[in-house]
Amino acid sequence: MASRYTSALECEITDMRAQHETWVRTGEPWSLRELFSTPDCDIADYCKEFRPSEFGAQACGEVERYCREQGIWLEPGGAHYNSMTPYLHPNPISAQRLTFIGLFNAILFWLNDTVGREKYGHLTDAEQHRARNELASLCRLLETRIPPETTTPVETATVEFLTGIGDLADPRWLDEFLVSTLDHLQTAIRDQNARARGDLLTVAEYIDLRAQVSGMYPAIALCEFGRDSYLRPEQLSGAGLASDLRRLQVLTAEIGALMNDMFSFEKECIADRSDFNLVPACLLNTPGATLADAVRAAGAAVRDRLTEFRRRSDALRDRCREPGLAETDLGAQVRVHLADLTSCVQASWVWQLATTRYKGDSIFTENYLIRPEGRPMSNDGDHRGGHAAAR
């Protein structure tokens, strides 16, 4: 249960940032690969067969062109978030479908990087008021699918998205997808820091909310649109698959959100001064904990979910091969969706290694900014890998 925010928490957050500054200068870097891996599963090996969509270059080019025309392309962030689309959605059946997915991602990232949870607290009162009004207008557009008489650039892009996806998508799926998107926006476009909330979430409460804030649930739903293959809840329930598949979807969302928390720790908590992140959530909920303790706990939260995901996905895949289900359309659909969920999990690792969005002075080896001569930006130039993760 959430506890009341106090000034003591603010002191702990300040001390966390001081520990980070010292660690960057003098400490041994952590390896996220080691933190996320188990003796029987190295995350790099688990993801080594992953490949982004073959339509990536075409779709990303179309999204960038359109967003520049509408004035919602962000520099330098646009290149980073646009590149994510063919990773998170490697299996669409056409470039057209991937392009609409990319446009959706561009709209959400534009909101995130201008008025989202990391930026909201830095806005003036007038800017926050304007952001709330713009969010309310955008939500009405998503609810009614009727554009206002005059539209902002992001609303114009949303109308384009709704028109295109409405022509291609299953109507029932679209209704559910837009509800999920609205749920995401209501949590994402607000200050979620402890001071603004007035409370400190438990780690479990934080993880539940973080998965919603991340936008991973709409992203998972878009896998069905990309494939043009839509799961029916009543069919899943009738076959006894609904609860297992839902748990896997939740794990996929949590893995994506929490893995991002660790990759983006410095961007969010040091540069943007946010504390809505798994690392400070672990720190603030553990009296006497250090930043090192919090990093270990955060890494364990991701690692445990990766382990559960692999176990549950293997079990459900085996179930879909059993007589009576293996030869059905539903069995085939579930196997395809399991492949998409696995791709989402793998993309959460592979894309965040590939992007430079989170690179710089870091306590994580994977986030080092590489100097021209090929050495990482550390105090002694030693890219040691992160034996501290084993301690």
Side-chain angles (χ1 to χ4, degrees):
M1 184 176 182
S3 58
R4 194 169 64 85
Y5 174 83
T6 66
S7 59
L9 293 178
E10 190 72 29
C11 291
E12 290 187 60
I13 294 168
T14 300
D15 184 61
M16 176 194 74
R17 293 184 179 122
Q19 290 181 58
H20 172 271
E21 183 179 354
T22 300
W23 198 344
V24 167
R25 291 198 320 269
T26 64
E28 184 175 21
W30 296 79
S31 163
L32 291 171
R33 177 178 177 177
E34 289 187 18
L35 284 169
F36 298 158
S37 297
T38 59
D40 65 329
C41 183
D42 183 312
I43 189 168
D45 289 340
Y46 181 66
C47 300
K48 67 182 179 182
E49 301 299 325
F50 176 86
R51 298 291 183 274
S53 170
E54 63 181 306
F55 304 120
Q58 180 180 348
C60 287
E62 284 297 308
V63 169
E64 179 175 351
R65 178 193 59 76
Y66 179 80
C67 289
R68 287 188 182 279
E69 287 178 358
Q70 294 301 322
I72 59 168
W73 181 261
L74 295 174
E75 297 289 4
H80 297 302
Y81 65 66
N82 199 28
S83 72
M84 184 192 70
T85 296
Y87 282 83
L88 197 57
H89 295 92
N91 303 313
I93 60 174
S94 70
Q96 181 186 33
R97 287 178 181 268
L98 186 62
T99 300
F100 280 115
I101 292 172
L103 178 56
F104 177 78
N105 289 338
I107 291 166
L108 292 193
F109 266 96
W110 186 88
L111 291 168
N112 177 77
D113 281 11
T114 55
V115 296
R117 60 185 174 84
E118 298 164 37
K119 307 297 184 183
Y120 192 89
H122 301 293
L123 303 177
T124 65
D125 289 345
E127 289 169 334
Q128 288 184 359
H129 179 72
R130 184 167 63 249
R132 288 194 298 270
N133 287 340
E134 290 175 352
L135 173 63
S137 178
L138 184 61
C139 287
R140 283 194 298 273
L141 171 57
L142 291 169
E143 286 174 329
T144 65
R145 302 179 214 176
I146 300 173
E149 290 186 8
T150 58
T151 57
T152 64
V154 74
E155 287 173 338
T156 300
T158 303
V159 170
E160 182 80 11
F161 169 76
L162 289 172
T163 300
I165 202 170
D167 290 340
L168 294 172
D170 174 80
R172 180 174 168 182
W173 172 89
L174 183 57
D175 290 343
E176 295 169 352
F177 168 75
L178 292 178
V179 169
S180 178
T181 300
L182 287 165
D183 289 343
H184 159 66
L185 289 174
Q186 296 291 356
T187 60
I189 312 303
R190 57 165 292 186
D191 190 344
Q192 293 286 6
N193 290 314
R195 173 183 283 183
R197 292 180 55 86
D199 59 30
L200 171 65
L201 299 172
T202 67
V203 173
E205 289 170 335
Y206 170 79
I207 290 172
D208 286 343
L209 180 57
R210 179 67 180 95
Q212 190 68 257
V213 168
S214 71
M216 281 297 295
Y217 289 118
I220 290 168
L222 281 167
C223 293
E224 297 178 56
F225 168 75
R227 295 270 197 177
D228 198 25
S229 175
Y230 306 96
L231 296 164
R232 297 301 187 196
E234 65 275 9
Q235 294 178 341
L236 293 170
S237 296
L241 304 176
S243 61
D244 288 337
L245 191 60
R246 180 55 184 169
R247 178 58 185 164
L248 282 164
Q249 291 170 337
V250 169
L251 286 169
T252 302
E254 291 180 352
I255 289 166
L258 301 182
M259 197 180 288
N260 175 256
D261 270 4
M262 299 199 72
F263 271 99
S264 64
F265 168 70
E266 274 103 1
K267 177 182 178 297
E268 295 178 358
C269 300
I270 306 303
D272 285 339
R273 316 301 283 179
S274 172
D275 57 62
F276 188 74
N277 180 285
L278 180 62
V279 175
C282 291
L283 177 76
L284 298 175
N285 277 281
T286 310
T290 64
L291 178 56
D293 296 326
V295 167
R296 291 189 191 96
V302 176
R303 184 173 65 247
D304 290 348
R305 282 164 175 77
L306 285 165
T307 300
E308 183 183 352
F309 177 87
R310 289 187 294 106
R311 176 177 58 81
R312 285 182 176 271
S313 59
D314 287 347
L316 189 54
R317 198 172 287 108
D318 289 343
R319 177 102 179 270
C320 289
R321 296 191 184 104
E322 294 176 356
L325 188 57
E327 65 275 13
T328 66
D329 290 342
L330 179 61
Q333 275 188 298
V334 172
R335 289 194 296 272
V336 164
H337 192 64
L338 285 173
D340 286 336
L341 295 180
T342 300
S343 292
C344 284
V345 168
Q346 293 171 329
S348 297
W349 170 256
V350 177
W351 177 74
Q352 291 183 122
L353 285 181
T355 183
T356 58
R357 182 174 171 87
Y358 311 116
K359 302 299 188 286
D361 289 331
S362 178
I363 61 175
F364 300 119
T365 60
E366 289 83 357
N367 274 2
Y368 270 122
L369 183 65
I370 304 300
R371 287 172 169 167
E373 62 267 29
R375 294 199 305 272
M377 295 274 289
S378 68
N379 192 45
D380 56 8
D382 182 10
H383 195 260
R384 286 174 285 181
H387 303 295
R391 293 199 294 268

